[in-house]
């Protein structure tokens, strides 16, 4: 076989292989740019990859920060109630102050009621009131 003919044929096949348009496989998850190449490619470049992951981390961080802020407000309100020796309060009186009954750091089913907690302060809750507010001490030490 003639080596020149073989090289010419190889060159033609190779050039036509790269001249044909490649189908769009996917879009960048961050910017939406059409991408060519591997079918499992998710980002068009490292800048988009970093921006996407930083955005995901920031959303998670903001959510955790908002939950902790709500818990801190709850703790401050409960602590204030304890300082004033008020062991029972209507939920409608403390929600305007910022109390969020859905946020607590502790929950335990204790027949016949549920016990909730915010760090070292424990309380029982019904639909209309919060009662039996008390602080646990180091000697009680619940997990």
């Amino acid at each position: 076989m003639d080596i020149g003919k073989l090289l010419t044929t190889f060159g033609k096949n190779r050039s036509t292989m790269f001249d044909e348009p490649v189908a769009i496989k996917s879009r960048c998850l961050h910017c939406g740019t059409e991408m060519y190449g591997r079918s499992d490619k998710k980002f068009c470049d490292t800048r988009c990859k970093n921006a996407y992951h930083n955005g995901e981390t920031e959303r998670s961080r903001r959510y955790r920060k908002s939950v902790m802020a709500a818990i801190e407000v709850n703790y401050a309100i409960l602590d204030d109630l304890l300082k004033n020796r008020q062991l029972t309060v209507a939920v409608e009186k403390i929600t305007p102050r910022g109390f969020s009954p859905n946020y607590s750091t502790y929950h335990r089913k204790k027949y016949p009621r549920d016990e909730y907690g915010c760090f070292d302060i424990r309380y029982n809750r019904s639909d209309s009131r919060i009662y039996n507010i008390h602080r646990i001490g180091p000697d009680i030490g619940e997990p």
Side-chain angles (χ1 to χ4, degrees), residues 56-93:
E56 290 294 309
T57 302
E58 183 60 31
R59 277 187 285 283
S60 175
R61 188 177 303 124
R62 264 188 306 224
Y63 176 72
R64 286 192 315 269
K65 192 174 181 179
S66 70
V67 169
M68 281 306 298
I71 289 172
E72 287 172 0
V73 168
N74 285 358
Y75 185 82
I77 292 169
L78 292 168
D79 190 46
D80 188 46
L81 292 171
L82 280 175
K83 285 178 184 173
N84 294 328
R85 299 182 192 272
Q86 192 173 0
L87 305 180
T88 301
V89 67
V91 174
E92 62 192 27
K93 288 190 177 189

Side-chain angles (χ1 to χ4, degrees), residues 80-138:
D80 188 46
L81 292 171
L82 280 175
K83 285 178 184 173
N84 294 328
R85 299 182 192 272
Q86 192 173 0
L87 305 180
T88 301
V89 67
V91 174
E92 62 192 27
K93 288 190 177 189
I94 58 175
T95 50
R97 291 176 58 188
F99 188 83
S100 301
N102 295 330
Y103 293 106
S104 65
T105 59
Y106 173 83
H107 175 251
R108 181 172 81 174
K109 287 201 173 282
K110 202 173 179 182
Y111 185 79
R113 56 188 131 3
D114 291 348
E115 184 179 51
Y116 294 88
C118 192
F119 299 112
D120 63 333
I121 300 174
R122 300 285 191 259
Y123 58 93
N124 297 102
R125 186 179 87 191
S126 69
D127 291 337
S128 60
R129 67 188 182 111
I130 291 178
Y131 58 96
N132 192 20
I133 302 169
H134 61 283
R135 189 180 306 272
I136 59 167

Side-chain angles (χ1 to χ4, degrees), residues 1-13:
M1 175 172 251
D2 184 18
I3 201 95
K5 189 176 181 181
L6 183 63
L7 287 175
T8 308
T9 308
F10 176 73
K12 284 181 184 175
N13 289 344

Side-chain angles (χ1 to χ4, degrees), residues 12-20 22:
K12 284 181 184 175
N13 289 344
R14 186 174 177 187
S15 65
T16 56
M17 181 173 63
F18 291 109
D19 291 341
E20 294 175 11
V22 178

